[in-house]
Amino acid sequence: MERRARLRKIMATMDDEDERKAALPGGAFEEEYEEAAPPKKELFYTEGSALLKQARMHIAHYSLDRAAARLAGAKRKRECPDEDETAEQADTIRLMRKVTNQSSEIADDRPSAACEFSPDGSTLATGAWSGLLKLWSVPDCQRKLTIKAHDDRVTGIAWHPSPSQTPDTVQLVTGSADKTARLFSGEGKQLGSLKGHGERLGRVGFHPLGRHVGTASFDDTWRLWDVESCTCLLEQEGHSRPVYTVAFHPDGSLAASGGLDAIGRVWDMRTGRSIMALQGHVQGILTMDFSPDGYHLATGSEDHSCRIWDLRKRGCVYTLPAHKSLIAQVRYDPNDGYYLLTAGFDNISKLWSSKDYSLMASLAGHEGKVMGADICPDGSGTVATVSYDRTVKFWAPDTYEEPVKAEM
């Protein structure tokens, strides 16, 4: 309306001759329309450091090898007569329908916000609002180690993809509301601190290569860090509101970020370009996870839904009305991706078949909102959940079967 008002004002002060001149090329009317024209979109690049270039080269070589191995494995499964993937998935789904609560422990004096299994499945790490990082044995849920990781709330936890017993090797990263992420050995020794974000952190994650860490922050960016030097390699913009979660493709070729602007973005780690926008959620995206198959991505949102995205089709292929409140965590089965775990603020976690997205099991038992969840990578089907009720719970398939009574 402002542009129209200005045009009316100009015309009101003109006589016929002035109007004729204004309508000619270069006249007042044309200038007014040029002023109101929308700005043109331009592609621009920001020059990166030599360390970033070197990291991109390492990631490119690593991801190509991983992708080739993944595709070769998928081809072998299809062509080998001794492997029936459909039957294998059916057996897994049948087993996971029997998941029940196996143990429950008080995890902290304050709500527990995040948890993740170690790559070998022997240990669970939990982080709480007290700033404590705790390690628990699996499956007996006995506390092994307590670390004062931060002075403020722990908001995210991730394990290094390669387990190591060396005391001076980075094994864990934690993110916090104190604006920092910190690196720890498996014995609890702090080995580094990642400083640079201007606001509190959300989720954190290790790149599959193991040399880099991703952190999401409320300063509207996510960052890529070098683990060895604790330097920031990349400060990635692209969201208009706080970034809450970041996840890496199993091949290491892609990263995904989700923000409170309700938009997710998929980034090519080898070039730095945003290659896909995930538009569909109506509220903020709080959690993301790539499937081991390499082309599915799950997102959980404040709008109570979980969306499944197909990178090949560049769009959403399924929407799960999964919970009655926001979804705090989504996790694919880390081995084959046959099922999906969602955890919500409605106090429940759920297991879904990735074949037809039917509900397999509801894990009810927490008295408060479930804030974190993970699936053990050892193939046992063990699930861990942490909650606002300050407890950590282990769930696993109940394999006990009642003996069949013999007929008389």
Side-chain angles (χ1 to χ4, degrees), residues 12-23:
T13 58
M14 289 181 175
D15 54 23
D16 293 342
E17 182 64 19
D18 290 335
E19 285 187 25
R20 185 183 66 80
K21 292 180 180 179

Side-chain angles (χ1 to χ4, degrees), residues 152-167:
D152 208 333
R153 291 172 291 170
V154 174
T155 58
I157 292 176
W159 282 89
H160 192 282
S162 302
S164 173
Q165 303 301 324
T166 308

Side-chain angles (χ1 to χ4, degrees), residues 216-287:
S217 172
F218 275 59
D219 62 9
D220 302 354
T221 69
W222 69 271
R223 294 191 181 210
L224 186 72
W225 306 81
D226 180 77
V227 171
E228 185 177 355
S229 63
C230 293
T231 56
C232 179
L233 301 177
L234 172 69
E235 181 181 2
Q236 184 62 66
E237 299 177 340
H239 291 271
S240 60
R241 296 191 64 192
V243 183
Y244 197 84
T245 183
V246 61
F248 293 104
H249 190 278
D251 295 345
S253 56
L254 305 175
S257 60
L260 301 188
D261 53 5
I263 294 176
R265 293 193 179 275
V266 179
W267 308 86
D268 189 334
M269 293 295 295
R270 299 158 297 188
T271 65
R273 297 188 64 174
S274 173
I275 61 172
M276 183 177 172
L278 311 177
Q279 295 179 309
H281 286 292
V282 295
Q283 287 183 278
I285 296 174
L286 304 178
T287 175

Side-chain angles (χ1 to χ4, degrees), residues 204-367:
V204 297
F206 265 102
H207 185 274
L209 181 58
R211 299 181 183 180
H212 311 106
V213 165
T215 56
S217 172
F218 275 59
D219 62 9
D220 302 354
T221 69
W222 69 271
R223 294 191 181 210
L224 186 72
W225 306 81
D226 180 77
V227 171
E228 185 177 355
S229 63
C230 293
T231 56
C232 179
L233 301 177
L234 172 69
E235 181 181 2
Q236 184 62 66
E237 299 177 340
H239 291 271
S240 60
R241 296 191 64 192
V243 183
Y244 197 84
T245 183
V246 61
F248 293 104
H249 190 278
D251 295 345
S253 56
L254 305 175
S257 60
L260 301 188
D261 53 5
I263 294 176
R265 293 193 179 275
V266 179
W267 308 86
D268 189 334
M269 293 295 295
R270 299 158 297 188
T271 65
R273 297 188 64 174
S274 173
I275 61 172
M276 183 177 172
L278 311 177
Q279 295 179 309
H281 286 292
V282 295
Q283 287 183 278
I285 296 174
L286 304 178
T287 175
M288 314 175 90
D289 195 32
F290 283 97
S291 170
D293 65 20
Y295 53 86
H296 282 123
L297 171 66
T299 57
S301 169
E302 289 180 293
D303 63 13
H304 310 178
S305 73
C306 171
R307 285 179 175 258
I308 310 299
W309 308 83
D310 192 321
L311 303 183
R312 302 167 303 177
K313 299 179 180 179
R314 302 180 64 84
C316 178
V317 293
Y318 205 90
T319 301
L320 280 169
H323 292 267
K324 296 180 181 179
S325 186
L326 67 82
I327 297 177
Q329 194 82 66
V330 294
R331 284 280 195 241
Y332 270 104
D333 162 27
N335 296 305
D336 301 295
Y338 288 158
Y339 57 92
L340 176 72
L341 169 68
T342 62
F345 272 25
D346 55 2
N347 305 358
I348 297 176
S349 299
K350 296 181 180 181
L351 293 169
W352 309 84
S353 165
S354 59
K355 180 181 179 181
D356 55 8
Y357 302 106
S358 60
L359 179 63
M360 298 193 305
S362 292
L363 314 183
H366 282 292
E367 297 178 359

